[in-house]
């Protein structure tokens, strides 16, 4: 679990650092907000392609190999980002897409491992702990990237963070295993312990049966709508505080750190609370839907108010609510894959995260266009709030915590 957490942590450092580094990059290369949006969203084109493939490969070859290879792949292209930017704009876009291909297998492979390792009464905490690396990695990236960029130049950001994945891989390959009772290096059963049954051992994925389930589509829609909000804020929060609020690059991390700290803490709290409620006898369906109400309705309300403010402190407080309480969705739809089909959780996550990646392309790029045309982030925040609420309604109608596949 710790190594999976660290993989997600590195994943988000490498994904997010460009949202800060793009400020000096755009100044050097003369990019408009629309061009910045294209750079930020191009990653998600590659990320989209390998979601379902990642779930299939993890079911066939195991999460260990797939996650390990993915980290090596995206770390390489993180390292190559400065060279590509200095070569040409199209080459940079191509490298960002290739980086996205590697990151696309990360969550499906991780959920494959969770389905093998984690018992039902610990699923909220396990999924939430892993997902809490998203805000922590983001926080680390937005806190350190300005310092590195100002002190050593923006290319150093990608060189330093790109190397972290190679260090992680050494520990992963020596210590990780696909399931309990298996030797990490050999992949064979550990004779010193009784091997646990492989609850995710069926390599055949019933795609048609999965896609016919309303509960699966509830997760897909919720994933799409929640990720729209996450990716818009992930990509544009530094630029929002820089251009809209007037915070300089050296200080911007101070303002964008608190929302990610809140998301990390609240996500783990939600995981603990979700498992506690299940142990107390509440149905998993009620727990998942209750968590999702908090995780979608509060961010929507916060963004509506954010659209009407220009005060830095108020903006930070509203973003703490949006991202902090939005993390309750970690114990909502984001844990639900493990409930409805633990043996195929990786494949189902691949499907839902494919839908969840589309906002990274459309939402991030659309935000740049709206800011260019209106001179404000207000319209983008209103659109995002409406999408949050639409996803919540659909999930409440069709979601379930029962094992159905």
């Amino acid at each position: 679990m710790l190594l999976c957490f660290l993989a997600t942590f590195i994943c988000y450092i490498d994904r997010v650092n460009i949202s800060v580094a793009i400020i000096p990059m755009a100044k050097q290369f003369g990019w408009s907000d629309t061009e910045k949006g294209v750079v930020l969203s191009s990653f998600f084109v590659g990320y989209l392609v390998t979601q379902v493939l990642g779930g299939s490969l993890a079911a066939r070859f195991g999460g260990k190999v797939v996650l390990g290879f993915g980290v090596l792949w995206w770390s390489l292209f993180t390292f190559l980002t400065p060279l590509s930017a200095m070569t040409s704009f199209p080459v940079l876009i191509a490298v960002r897409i290739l980086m996205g291909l590697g990151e696309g297998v990360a969550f499906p492979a991780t959920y494959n491992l969770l389905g093998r390792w984690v018992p039902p009464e610990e699923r909220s905490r396990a999924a939430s702990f892993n997902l809490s690396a998203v805000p922590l990695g983001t926080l680390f990236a937005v806190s350190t990237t300005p310092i590195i960029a100002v002190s050593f130049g923006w290319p150093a950001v990608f060189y330093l963070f790109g190397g972290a994945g190679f260090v992680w891989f050494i520990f992963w390959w020596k210590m990780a295993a696909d399931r309990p009772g298996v030797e990490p290096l050999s992949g064979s059963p550990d004779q010193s312990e009784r091997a646990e049954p492989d609850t995710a051992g069926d390599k055949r994925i019933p795609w048609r049966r999965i896609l016919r389930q309303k509960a699966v589509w509830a997760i897909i829609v919720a994933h799409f709508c929640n990720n729209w909000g996450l990716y818009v804020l992930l990509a544009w929060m530094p630029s929002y505080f820089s251009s809209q609020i007037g915070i300089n690059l050296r200080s911007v991390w101070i303002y964008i750190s608190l929302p990610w700290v809140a998301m990390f803490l609240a996500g783990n709290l939600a995981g603990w609370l979700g498992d506690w409620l299940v142990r107390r006898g509440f149905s998993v369906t009620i727990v998942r839907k209750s968590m999702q109400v908090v995780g979608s309705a509060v961010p929507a309300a916060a963004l509506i108010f954010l659209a009407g403010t220009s005060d830095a402190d108020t903006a930070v407080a509203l973003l703490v609510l949006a991202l902090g309480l939005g993390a309750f969705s970690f114990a909502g739809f984001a844990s639900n894959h493990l409930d409805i089909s633990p043996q195929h959780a990786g494949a189902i996550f691949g499907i839902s995260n494919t839908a969840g990646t589309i906002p990274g392309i459309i939402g991030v790029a659309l935000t740049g266009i709206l800011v260019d045309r209106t001179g404000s982030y207000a319209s983008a925040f209103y659109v995002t709030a409406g999408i949050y609420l639409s996803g919540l309604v659909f999930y409440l109608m069709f979601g379930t915590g029962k094992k159905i596949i």
Side-chain angles (χ1 to χ4, degrees):
M1 280 303 307
L2 179 59
L3 286 166
C4 287
F5 173 90
L6 290 173
T8 304
F9 178 74
I10 294 169
C11 177
Y12 267 77
I13 291 175
D14 290 343
R15 184 185 307 194
V16 171
N17 55 26
I18 198 169
S19 68
V20 178
I22 202 168
I23 298 171
M25 290 171 74
K27 185 178 294 185
Q28 177 176 332
F29 298 114
W31 296 335
S32 67
D33 280 320
T34 299
E35 288 171 316
K36 286 166 65 178
V38 171
V39 173
L40 293 170
S41 64
S42 59
F43 160 88
F44 294 99
V45 175
Y47 190 68
L48 177 75
V49 171
T50 50
Q51 293 295 321
V52 174
L53 177 63
S56 299
L57 291 174
R60 183 176 179 84
F61 300 109
K64 176 182 177 176
V65 171
V66 176
L67 182 57
F69 178 77
V71 174
L72 288 179
W73 178 278
W74 87 60
S75 297
L76 172 63
F77 287 101
T78 298
F79 199 86
L80 291 175
T81 299
L83 177 62
S84 66
M86 294 173 189
T87 301
S88 70
F89 191 80
V91 172
L92 172 62
I93 299 303
V95 166
R96 293 296 296 174
I97 292 172
L98 288 168
M99 178 191 164
L101 290 174
E103 290 208 4
V105 305
F107 281 114
T110 299
Y111 269 65
N112 175 275
L113 292 164
L114 297 186
R116 296 171 185 262
W117 279 91
V118 181
E121 67 274 11
E122 297 177 12
R123 286 174 184 158
S124 295
R125 279 173 291 166
S128 296
F129 175 66
N130 182 70
L131 289 169
S132 70
V134 171
L136 198 65
T138 301
L139 174 63
F140 188 85
V142 299
S143 301
T144 58
T145 297
I147 299 170
I148 296 169
V150 170
S151 302
F152 305 104
W154 63 263
V157 172
F158 301 99
Y159 297 143
L160 289 172
F161 293 150
F166 294 95
V167 176
W168 171 90
F169 181 80
I170 295 171
F171 292 94
W172 176 253
W173 202 251
K174 289 183 177 180
M175 301 174 67
D178 280 317
R179 60 185 184 273
V182 171
E183 289 280 6
L185 291 177
S186 68
S188 60
D190 182 355
Q191 300 303 319
S192 65
E193 298 180 14
R194 179 180 61 85
E196 297 293 330
D198 182 0
T199 58
D202 188 357
K203 298 179 180 180
R204 296 167 299 175
I205 300 173
W207 295 110
R208 290 185 180 179
R209 185 181 176 194
I210 287 171
L211 291 172
R212 285 199 298 262
Q213 304 297 325
K214 292 180 180 179
V216 171
W217 284 99
I219 294 173
I220 291 170
V221 172
H223 206 151
F224 175 93
C225 295
N226 276 70
N227 271 23
W228 185 291
L230 174 64
Y231 287 150
V232 166
L233 294 177
L234 196 67
W236 286 101
M237 208 192 310
S239 295
Y240 166 75
F241 277 103
S242 178
S243 62
Q244 190 88 13
I245 307 296
I247 308 300
N248 63 49
L249 177 60
R250 189 184 291 272
S251 302
V252 73
W253 72 272
I254 299 172
Y255 291 86
I256 61 181
S257 294
L258 277 177
W260 299 115
V261 171
M263 189 178 186
F264 172 77
L265 295 174
N268 280 291
L269 172 63
W272 175 86
L273 180 59
D275 283 341
W276 180 79
L277 289 171
V278 170
R279 290 196 305 272
R280 296 282 292 182
F282 288 85
S283 76
V284 177
T285 300
I286 292 296
V287 171
R288 297 288 177 248
K289 290 184 177 182
S290 299
M291 294 294 175
Q292 197 57 45
V293 168
V294 178
S296 294
V298 175
L303 287 174
I304 290 170
F305 285 107
L306 185 64
T309 187
S310 58
D311 177 70
D313 292 339
T314 303
V316 169
L318 290 169
L319 286 166
V320 164
L321 287 175
L323 287 172
L325 295 186
F328 270 64
S329 65
F330 290 0
F333 85 88
S335 297
N336 205 190
H337 313 70
L338 297 163
D339 304 317
I340 64 173
S341 182
Q343 66 270 40
H344 299 301
I348 296 172
F349 196 96
I351 297 170
S352 72
N353 208 27
T354 298
T357 301
I358 295 172
I361 303 170
I362 301 174
V364 172
L366 177 63
T367 299
I369 294 169
L370 290 173
V371 172
D372 259 348
R373 292 188 176 181
T374 66
S376 167
Y377 285 81
S379 55
F381 291 153
Y382 287 134
V383 168
T384 303
I387 290 172
Y388 264 123
L389 294 175
S390 299
L392 174 61
V393 170
F394 195 91
Y395 187 78
L396 292 177
M397 290 174 62
F398 300 112
T400 182
K402 297 178 180 179
K403 183 179 178 180
I404 58 174
I405 303 173

